[in-house]
Amino acid sequence: MRNSFPANLGGCFKGIASRIAATLLLAAFLSALAGTPALADGFGNCAGSNILLELRKKDPSRYQTMMDDAANVRNGHSIFWKIEKPGVKPSWLFGTIHSSDERVLKLPAEFRNAFDHINTLVLELKEISKPNTIAIELLKHPELTMLPAEKPLDHILPTDETAQIAAALEKKGIPITSVLRMRPWFLYTSLLMCAPERNSNGGFVLDRQLAVQAENKGVDVEGLETPLEQFQAMADLPDDLTMKGLLQAFQLPYNMNDVTETLIALYLTGNSGLMKAFADDLSDEKTIEAVFNQRIITDRNEVMAKRIVPYLEKGNVMMAVGALHLPGDQGVVQLLRKQGFTVTSVN
């Protein structure tokens, strides 16, 4: 365990590092399900505080260590990349963040110059512009979101830990009896994700905005995954580990809005390595994190990097996926290079 944090920061992110990515994964379409009465508390006020600003003031040594860690993340200095291969027109790789924050939607000129001339936009989900379609797909597979009758939520963890979760839910106005049949991953993301469908100016989350703009221009929009595959990745997470993660999240001195605000602030710097360092360095629950990181990030990186190749072989493509999928030795940038593409940052 890291002991250099001040008392009010120490351990505040136990077991949530890669679950940040898991939660943000649903931000683009979870609003379609926001009307569920038991989950209504998870939506609404999205305001949060930048945790790193407090860390920099109260523990500058730990903050500097995080900066150093970020500097050592391979391919972590950019969220926008040019993809090249002899004989085809260049393509582009853009790291998104699944948010409708107005700051995020103000895209840089370099991106716009490329986006305005592409033939194809390839996102994580082709259906991102039609969230109701995604919601319907989820409803077709209740086994992904519902527990078997013989093993409801209160049978997954020991009695004392279940009681703590029940008490935390009660504070949110949600009796645990109303969510006993929910799979822990679905409850977790629904409660902790602030994901309004539109921001105050009517903007969609970034990924959906890109899809809508491309469709309006007559650009082909494709997907690297199906909605079912994304839901399956979440459902593959062990119920007991996800429940422990939910319990830990309830015990944090900060809420997920603060985590999201911190990620947005880092995203706006274009430094995906620092986003990764923030997620990785503030966690000491290695067993849980290894499982989440493998299934939500690494496994999906490999799928994305393979499925994008036929599009890249045609050229003039924009690949836009979550920024946390780009950096690192097993990130999409490095995986594309291993497949023979030249990938260089655009700043």
Side-chain angles (χ1 to χ4, degrees):
M1 178 179 293
R2 299 184 187 276
N3 297 313
S4 59
F5 289 104
N8 66 328
L9 286 177
C12 68
F13 289 100
K14 291 181 180 180
I16 70 163
S18 56
R19 268 163 284 150
I20 294 170
T23 304
L24 290 177
L25 175 65
L26 296 183
F29 51 82
L30 197 57
S31 58
L33 304 174
T36 305
L39 305 183
D41 186 72
F43 295 84
N45 181 14
C46 301
S49 301
N50 189 329
I51 298 161
L52 284 186
L53 296 181
E54 185 172 352
L55 182 63
R56 183 170 62 182
K57 293 177 182 178
K58 297 189 175 182
D59 192 347
S61 176
R62 179 69 223 137
Y63 177 85
Q64 187 57 51
T65 297
M66 190 180 300
M67 299 302 107
D68 294 340
D69 290 345
N72 291 323
V73 175
R74 179 176 286 187
N75 307 316
H77 57 283
S78 179
I79 59 170
F80 190 33
W81 301 78
K82 188 176 185 179
I83 306 171
E84 298 175 284
K85 193 172 185 178
V88 297
K89 292 183 178 180
S91 291
W92 311 90
L93 171 62
F94 180 60
T96 68
I97 186 167
H98 309 315
S99 169
S100 63
D101 189 283
E102 295 173 3
R103 296 165 295 174
V104 168
L105 301 182
K106 295 179 180 178
L107 296 166
E110 293 86 350
F111 172 84
R112 278 291 164 201
N113 290 337
F115 184 79
D116 289 343
H117 296 91
I118 59 173
N119 293 331
T120 307
L121 173 66
V122 184
L123 302 164
E124 292 180 25
L125 292 178
K126 178 179 181 178
E127 299 85 353
I128 194 64
S129 63
K130 302 174 179 65
N132 288 338
T133 300
I134 300 173
I136 291 172
E137 183 66 22
L138 182 60
L139 293 174
K140 291 179 181 178
H141 299 276
E143 73 280 2
L144 298 180
T145 59
M146 301 295 290
L147 289 165
E150 66 273 13
K151 193 175 182 181
L153 285 179
D154 57 355
H155 285 64
I156 294 176
L157 293 182
T159 303
D160 60 331
E161 294 182 348
T162 301
Q164 294 177 53
I165 291 177
L169 288 172
E170 191 66 37
K171 290 181 180 179
K172 289 179 170 286
I174 304 172
I176 193 171
T177 53
S178 68
V179 295
L180 282 178
R181 290 289 308 281
M182 278 190 181
R183 288 287 303 276
W185 77 265
F186 191 58
L187 177 62
Y188 184 102
T189 53
S190 300
L191 285 173
L192 300 182
M193 186 68 240
C194 179
E197 184 176 5
R198 293 170 180 246
N199 64 12
S200 59
N201 287 338
F204 298 120
V205 294
L206 177 56
D207 310 68
R208 186 177 178 187
Q209 176 175 280
L210 294 177
V212 170
Q213 290 178 352
E215 290 171 351
N216 289 341
K217 293 169 55 178
V219 172
D220 291 335
V221 177
E222 302 292 344
L224 295 168
E225 300 172 298
T226 67
L228 182 57
E229 285 176 325
Q230 283 202 351
F231 288 127
Q232 187 64 61
M234 301 290 286
D236 285 345
L237 300 173
D239 289 334
D240 58 338
L241 293 185
T242 308
M243 280 287 281
K244 287 183 178 294
L246 180 62
L247 175 60
Q248 292 161 0
F250 282 142
Q251 296 170 340
L252 298 177
Y254 299 98
N255 59 37
M256 187 58 72
N257 291 349
D258 297 324
V259 175
T260 302
E261 171 60 26
T262 307
L263 279 174
I264 288 174
L266 295 179
Y267 177 80
L268 295 174
T269 71
N271 191 332
S272 62
L274 189 50
M275 294 176 70
K276 187 176 188 303
F278 169 69
D280 290 346
D281 289 9
L282 289 176
S283 174
D284 58 7
E285 296 289 342
K286 300 306 179 184
T287 300
I288 296 177
E289 286 310 304
V291 173
F292 276 74
N293 195 59
Q294 181 67 43
R295 187 66 189 94
I296 301 301
I297 302 295
T298 304
D299 288 352
R300 295 176 58 229
N301 287 353
E302 294 176 357
V303 170
M304 292 178 187
K306 290 179 181 178
R307 291 181 178 175
I308 191 61
V309 171
Y311 299 102
L312 298 180
E313 295 288 358
K314 297 177 182 179
N316 209 25
V317 170
M318 175 75 72
M319 176 184 180
V321 299
L324 285 173
H325 290 286
L326 272 56
D329 293 335
Q330 296 174 303
V332 170
V333 172
Q334 195 62 20
L335 293 176
L336 290 178
R337 287 178 177 151
K338 290 180 179 179
Q339 295 180 103
F341 295 95
T342 299
V343 187
T344 54
S345 63
V346 180
N347 293 305

